[in-house]
Amino acid sequence: MKSKSFFISGGLSLLAGVAIIGTQTNCQTDGGGDANGSDNGVPPLPSGAASAPSTAPVANFEVPKGGQDWPVWSGNGSGNLYSPEKNIPASFDPGKFKKGTEDIDLSTTKNVRWAAKLGSQSYGNTTVSNGKVYVGTNNETPRDKRHVGDRGIVYCLDEKTGELEWQLVVPKLGAGKVSDWEYLGICSSPAVEGNRVYVVANRCEILCLDTEGMKNGNQGFQGEAKYMVDKGKAPLEPTNKDADIIWRFDMREELGVFPHNIASSSVLIVGDLLFCTTSNGQDWSHLNIPAPQSPCIVALNKKDGTLAGEEAEGIGKSILHCNWSSPSKGKIKGKDAVFFAGGDGVLYAFDTKFKKDEEGYEIFNTLWKYDCVPADYKKDKDGNEIKYPAAEGPSELIATPTYYKGNVYVAIGQDPEHGEGLGCLSCVDADTGKKIWEYKKIQRTISTCAIDPESGLLIASDYTGYVYCLDAKTGKEHWIYDTKAHMWSSPLVADGKVYIGDEDGDLTVLPLKANFNPKEDEPIFETNMLVPIYSTPVVANGTLYIGTQTHLYAIQADGKSDTE
């Protein structure tokens, strides 16, 4: 039993810069605009860095047949972190580093097919589609000697071997910590559909990429040579290891938004539309909202990246800190709907069909909205306003809403740098927008819920480090487990088990059953992954993927092959 950790992360924090307001309304599909450059010289790698870290898999591992991909955040876009796959490993050994390197010695591991070296910080969540694995990170382990320095990175890896197929390289904004915090990398989970990848880059751009990279030629946007390098530097000719950008939509230029610290939303695919949070937020003072009129969630046409619609609820005027939640999808009275957890603490339900305002702009049709912040978090017993970010006061929404069987679940929280505080998990009727139940034992959280359809159990977690098991229908509490460490990761429910990581680097596997007793029963498994875990475990095609700050592990039972 470990003691409560006070690990200090290098994660999202609270500093600032300047706003840049744009007026254009069309995305770029050519080489123009403000794409940036670098000289053609090949700078040396930083000391100890490797251009191609070894990921060679253990010989007796094969990718099993009969599973399913995990192509978008939450698997299918519902916000429910559940996988129906079976025979997922309940134990493994992450192994040890090769002497003098940051590579994992696979001979010291158990049930690990491969372990890919990432950068020095990784906050995004893994997606898997059509034999490829996608993950965001930074560039502190350069895979290409031409690309060095602080960059946002997305790796496309071979699903079977973990070897690099290609990478997206995005220079920094140059705005400092306020809008593109150093070394955070790309925090968005790539969304994959067919031969296209949609991701939000650290520069507050929505990008559409070719799943094959440059291997099948440069298509669409032709400005990669300038885009990949710092402003004022000479263009750098793309190779087969570079991403092929089809189109880009710059939310700062097109919408005038002011991203706070980092742009972090994952793209939601609904038919021919892409829904995305803009990360619009406060400036360095945490008193001023530079772009209160700018939308906090928008929709683009996925074919060409043009603006299709935007919210006009005035969320920007009421931002408590920032909009970092990713939208999810579900049904309202049988029709498609999008659920958005706002930076004002309000849960919104939007129709996927838009309406024109008086000026002819396409705006979202709001079906309902629900304030997730309890009244007693806003004012004390004497009627005095409780100021944000007080521990006993109001919070925004950062977690992704979870849609399950006609209900929507989401809990309030704040930037982890604000510390611990009061939370509240709400269950809202998707058809009416009315509260079904709320659970106020939970503390502040940025974690998304997971609900098991077989048992009807809901698993939630909070920044303080508690894992909660509730009845999804009634909100009845079954048990609370204390990981004794701060937690950014969300729980994954699969194969009758709960997988969750914490800031101490511990990966814990708990039994998914109502009668589990944390005071008497032991976890199924617990191991330390050597460095903090900020991302969420996912399952695809019989393989459990666990991303730490510095490595991505593909975990699969030894000897499981498609011929057995």
Side-chain angles (χ1 to χ4, degrees):
M1 185 71 73
K2 62 182 180 179
S3 60
K4 181 70 74 176
S5 164
F6 291 96
F7 181 91
I8 299 176
S9 78
L12 305 178
S13 190
L14 313 169
L15 292 175
V18 296
I20 298 178
I21 306 299
T23 57
Q24 298 179 353
T25 56
N26 295 310
C27 77
Q28 289 186 302
T29 56
D30 57 28
D34 64 348
N36 306 321
S38 165
D39 60 52
N40 288 320
V42 180
L45 284 172
S47 176
S51 60
S54 174
T55 59
V58 177
N60 60 339
F61 283 96
E62 294 290 340
V63 177
K65 291 183 178 179
Q68 62 184 44
D69 285 345
W70 189 277
V72 299
W73 166 234
S74 78
N76 60 9
S78 70
N80 186 16
L81 295 168
Y82 160 79
S83 171
E85 295 205 33
K86 304 296 182 182
N87 302 316
I88 308 303
S91 65
F92 62 93
D93 189 331
K96 298 178 175 60
F97 292 122
K98 293 180 181 178
K99 187 175 181 179
T101 76
E102 293 185 26
D103 294 338
I104 299 297
D105 182 350
L106 290 179
S107 67
T108 66
T109 68
K110 176 185 177 183
N111 288 343
V112 176
R113 187 166 80 240
W114 51 257
K117 181 67 178 74
L118 305 178
S120 63
Q121 296 185 42
S122 305
Y123 297 94
N125 297 294
T126 306
T127 52
V128 183
S129 180
N130 293 323
K132 294 179 173 62
V133 177
Y134 303 86
V135 63
T137 186
N138 67 18
N139 195 44
E140 289 304 281
T141 305
R143 294 295 191 105
D144 187 331
K145 293 181 179 180
R146 303 173 308 151
H147 301 299
V148 295
D150 192 6
R151 301 284 190 272
I153 298 289
V154 171
Y155 288 151
C156 173
L157 308 174
D158 182 273
E159 182 180 4
K160 182 177 180 179
T161 66
E163 296 292 340
L164 181 70
E165 297 262 335
W166 53 262
Q167 64 175 345
L168 171 69
V169 179
V170 184
K172 303 297 281 184
L173 265 177
K177 290 177 170 61
V178 65
S179 290
D180 191 4
W181 192 281
E182 292 92 339
Y183 302 106
L184 286 186
I186 289 179
C187 301
S188 172
S189 299
V192 189
E193 184 181 63
N195 63 352
R196 294 292 181 258
V197 183
Y198 306 100
V199 67
V200 176
N202 51 286
R203 295 169 62 90
C204 201
E205 299 165 319
I206 305 173
L207 301 178
C208 173
L209 313 175
D210 186 338
T211 57
E212 303 307 307
M214 287 287 181
K215 291 180 181 178
N216 59 352
N218 191 352
Q219 304 169 54
F221 177 78
Q222 296 294 301
E224 287 90 348
K226 291 178 65 179
Y227 182 85
M228 293 188 295
V229 293
D230 289 320
K231 188 175 182 179
K233 300 295 184 179
L236 191 61
E237 192 65 25
T239 72
N240 284 349
K241 291 295 185 181
D242 289 312
D244 180 10
I245 300 174
I246 304 301
W247 54 254
R248 59 185 283 264
F249 183 91
D250 189 328
M251 291 187 280
R252 293 164 75 246
E253 287 188 359
E254 309 291 353
L255 307 170
V257 303
F258 187 92
H260 184 82
N261 290 165
I262 195 70
S264 65
S265 177
S266 298
V267 175
L268 174 69
I269 305 171
V270 182
D272 292 329
L273 297 173
L274 307 174
F275 289 83
C276 184
T277 306
T278 65
S279 296
N280 197 28
Q282 296 177 329
D283 66 9
W284 65 272
S285 70
H286 294 94
L287 299 172
N288 180 49
I289 301 171
Q293 302 296 333
S294 294
C296 294
I297 178 173
V298 296
L300 305 185
N301 295 301
K302 72 180 181 184
K303 182 177 181 180
D304 58 11
T306 53
L307 184 65
E310 59 188 83
E311 65 86 10
E313 281 295 311
I315 301 172
K317 299 175 183 178
S318 304
I319 295 172
L320 293 174
H321 187 228
C322 187
N323 286 275
W324 280 326
S325 175
S326 298
S328 62
K329 63 184 178 181
K331 298 286 185 180
I332 291 181
K333 298 180 180 178
K335 296 182 178 180
D336 289 340
V338 169
F339 303 105
F340 174 60
D344 55 356
V346 176
L347 174 64
Y348 295 86
F350 297 118
D351 196 346
T352 58
K353 306 295 182 183
F354 310 139
K355 60 184 180 182
K356 290 186 182 296
D357 65 8
E358 295 177 352
E359 298 179 353
Y361 292 101
E362 295 286 342
I363 62 172
F364 290 3
N365 180 26
T366 305
L367 301 175
W368 52 257
K369 51 188 175 181
Y370 175 80
D371 189 348
C372 295
V373 182
D376 57 335
Y377 292 10
K378 297 178 181 181
K379 293 185 177 181
D380 63 23
K381 59 183 180 180
D382 296 321
N384 300 312
E385 181 182 359
I386 303 175
K387 297 290 187 180
Y388 181 92
E392 68 277 14
S395 291
E396 66 267 37
L397 292 163
I398 300 176
T400 298
T402 298
Y403 174 81
Y404 174 75
K405 285 191 174 181
N407 294 335
V408 186
Y409 305 80
V410 71
I412 60 174
Q414 295 186 25
D415 182 337
E417 297 268 337
H418 294 182
E420 300 174 13
L422 296 177
C424 181
L425 170 61
S426 298
C427 171
V428 180
D429 187 305
D431 284 345
T432 66
K434 303 296 183 183
K435 180 178 70 176
I436 296 177
W437 54 260
E438 66 180 16
Y439 180 76
K440 296 172 73 173
K441 279 190 180 180
I442 194 170
Q443 302 297 296
R444 285 177 180 167
T445 185
I446 63 173
S447 303
T448 299
C449 296
I451 303 174
D452 176 43
E454 296 181 17
S455 63
L457 296 178
L458 178 151
I459 303 296
S461 59
D462 62 27
Y463 175 65
T464 303
Y466 293 109
V467 181
Y468 304 84
C469 178
L470 311 176
D471 184 288
K473 186 176 182 180
T474 65
K476 176 186 175 182
E477 177 191 304
H478 291 299
W479 49 260
I480 302 174
Y481 179 84
D482 187 1
T483 65
K484 300 187 183 299
H486 286 147
M487 189 177 294
W488 299 39
S489 176
S490 298
L492 170 73
V493 167
D495 197 20
K497 297 180 280 290
V498 179
Y499 296 84
I500 194 161
D502 65 39
E503 202 172 53
D504 275 357
D506 290 322
L507 188 285
T508 304
V509 183
L510 301 172
L512 183 63
K513 56 183 183 180
N515 63 352
F516 173 62
N517 185 348
K519 294 182 179 180
E520 298 179 1
D521 302 332
E522 293 294 323
I524 294 175
F525 175 72
E526 186 174 29
T527 190
N528 188 269
M529 304 290 288
L530 310 176
V531 293
I533 302 171
Y534 291 121
S535 59
T536 297
V538 305
V539 169
N541 302 312
T543 301
L544 173 68
Y545 293 90
I546 298 176
T548 71
Q549 278 282 73
T550 58
H551 292 78
L552 177 62
Y553 293 80
I555 297 165
Q556 176 191 331
D558 190 0
K560 294 282 186 181
S561 72
D562 55 14
T563 60
E564 290 185 285

